[in-house]
Amino acid sequence: MNAKRWIALGAAALLFGLSIIINIASFAFSNDWTSNFENMLAVPESEYTESVLEAGDLSERIAVLTVDGVIQDTGGATSLFGAAGYDHQFFMDQLEMIKEDDSIKAVVLQVNSPGGGVVESAQIYDKIKEVQEEVGVPFYVSMGSMAASGGYYIAAPAEKIFLNKETLTGSIGVIMESVNYGKLAEKYGVDFVTIKTGPYKDIMSPTREMTEDERAMLQDMINESYESFVDIIEEGRGMTEAEVKKVADGRIMNGRQAIEAGLADDYGYLEDVIEAVRKDFDLENAEVMQYEYPSGFTSLFSMKAQSLMGGDMETQLVGRLLSDYNAPRMMYLYGEK
């Protein structure tokens, strides 16, 4: 490992130590102190900028939105060493800005995601429906290499869905996972002491086997979220429950299979989808734009850190070191968390 990576790893360890100090200090200081610190790092909605992708009529515009990465809400906190991935608050702000902007006549939603949280996916879906119904803005979806599970969930309400023959989509369903290392700990003489207020307080504990009652409770929750997923596809795609459930068994499919199953409409890349929007909604002269973050210290430092560290195992280890622990939760997600 070269000197640059040693420096980067050292900086990461320092940041990790500082994060511990900040968490401890948050108990000693008032909530105002911690909220002010978070606000200092946040980007106000009013400071978002716009960039023009295709020049045209400013009174009739097509907005291009992008969901790239796992759909999850990190509370606006992005690791300095993390990739510039999906930002839930930024995306929700974009939908709100579109709702309030009379010049936006249509939206092209780019989706390149394996899915993510059940709650976050539902928030996006509900907001898209709100924009469609309250201000009449249509959505066309352009799927990238993957738009699976929650990635398909947020695409379902679109007027049309375009993908590529090689796009991986589907994976309709819900998953909740945990790791049980109780036997491994027992082998090495590690004893876990748990004090709880009820028999189910440590449900999905990684230190013991799950009981049948606990499994039944969780399965009931999973089934309810699954039925919600099926319902939004029925409504969005005009399909029957039987037609949806025929392919809603967690399977993934390519573009051809998705079109044949009724889950997508046609093939096309982003430029094809934009052209389809122009033609279908008489927007031949419309400007095509997208929202962006203003350039700042955090994004600049993040890019520099990534260039120093590269995309190897050390990067992954640092990413895990700096990320918060995520308790098991329901996910519309394809592949590993």
Side-chain angles (χ1 to χ4, degrees):
M1 190 163 60
N2 59 34
K4 286 185 176 180
R5 288 185 176 172
W6 277 117
I7 293 172
L9 286 171
L14 176 62
L15 287 171
F16 181 65
L18 288 174
S19 69
I20 295 176
I21 294 173
I22 290 172
N23 286 332
I24 294 174
S26 66
F27 289 99
F29 294 94
S30 67
N31 289 333
D32 290 338
W33 185 87
T34 54
S35 63
N36 288 338
F37 180 77
E38 292 172 353
N39 290 337
M40 182 179 67
L41 297 178
V43 179
E45 178 181 325
S46 60
E47 293 186 14
Y48 295 143
T49 59
E50 297 180 3
S51 64
V52 177
L53 302 179
E54 297 179 18
D57 188 347
L58 294 177
S59 66
E60 293 186 332
R61 304 197 295 166
I62 300 170
V64 176
L65 304 188
T66 302
V67 172
D68 189 1
V70 178
I71 303 169
Q72 58 184 344
D73 187 359
T74 59
T78 302
S79 167
L80 293 178
F81 291 90
Y86 173 75
D87 185 321
H88 187 63
Q89 187 57 56
F90 177 43
F91 188 77
M92 297 301 293
D93 287 344
Q94 291 178 79
L95 290 174
E96 182 62 30
M97 287 186 285
I98 286 169
K99 180 182 173 183
E100 298 175 355
D101 189 340
D102 292 338
S103 71
I104 303 297
K105 303 303 181 182
V107 174
V108 173
L109 174 58
Q110 293 188 96
V111 181
N112 187 34
S113 171
V118 167
V119 172
E120 293 92 335
S121 300
Q123 285 177 328
I124 294 173
Y125 171 81
D126 290 342
K127 194 65 177 180
I128 289 175
K129 292 291 292 183
E130 180 181 315
V131 173
Q132 289 173 316
E133 294 171 1
E134 293 189 14
V135 295
V137 174
F139 281 70
Y140 275 23
V141 166
S142 172
M143 291 183 170
S145 60
M146 176 177 289
S149 202
Y152 187 82
Y153 189 106
I154 65 173
E159 278 75 6
K160 284 187 180 180
I161 296 175
F162 295 78
L163 37 54
N164 307 312
K165 291 182 179 179
E166 296 78 16
T167 297
L168 289 181
T169 188
S171 189
I172 299 168
V174 194
I175 190 169
M176 177 184 284
E177 293 181 319
S178 69
V179 176
N180 184 354
Y181 49 77
K183 291 183 179 179
L184 178 65
E186 182 180 349
K187 177 180 178 181
Y188 289 96
V190 178
D191 185 26
F192 296 95
V193 178
T194 303
I195 301 172
K196 55 186 180 179
T197 56
Y200 305 115
K201 183 59 181 173
D202 63 340
I203 194 169
M204 289 196 81
S205 168
T207 65
R208 65 172 178 82
E209 294 289 337
M210 182 182 295
T211 68
E212 290 302 317
D213 283 347
E214 290 171 334
R215 186 176 296 276
M217 289 179 183
L218 296 174
Q219 188 65 57
D220 185 57
M221 293 166 53
I222 290 284
N223 291 344
E224 187 172 333
S225 293
Y226 169 76
E227 292 297 334
S228 295
F229 200 160
V230 170
D231 288 343
I232 70 105
I233 298 175
E234 287 182 53
E235 179 183 350
R237 300 301 302 172
M239 300 170 67
T240 67
E241 180 179 352
E243 288 172 333
V244 176
K245 288 190 173 181
K246 183 178 180 180
V247 293
D249 52 8
R251 74 180 70 180
I252 59 170
M253 56 191 77
N254 61 21
R256 175 188 59 79
Q257 293 169 326
I259 290 175
E260 290 177 354
L263 298 179
D265 297 288
D266 203 351
Y267 300 119
Y269 295 100
L270 175 62
E271 57 269 24
D272 302 314
V273 181
I274 293 174
E275 186 58 33
V277 170
R278 290 187 183 280
K279 180 179 178 181
D280 292 350
F281 299 98
D282 193 23
L283 296 170
E284 284 82 1
N285 298 318
E287 176 188 89
V288 181
M289 52 76 67
Q290 65 182 6
Y291 297 103
E292 293 182 345
Y293 273 121
S295 59
F297 169 78
T298 301
S299 58
L300 178 64
F301 191 84
S302 176
M303 288 187 292
K304 184 60 178 175
Q306 291 176 63
S307 68
L308 285 173
M309 297 177 67
D312 52 18
M313 183 60 69
E314 291 111 14
T315 306
Q316 298 177 37
L317 292 174
V318 170
R320 290 190 179 186
L321 180 69
L322 295 177
S323 62
D324 294 330
Y325 170 76
N326 289 317
R329 59 177 183 148
M330 289 188 291
M331 304 285 283
Y332 294 136
L333 183 65
Y334 168 70
E336 294 185 359
K337 184 177 178 182

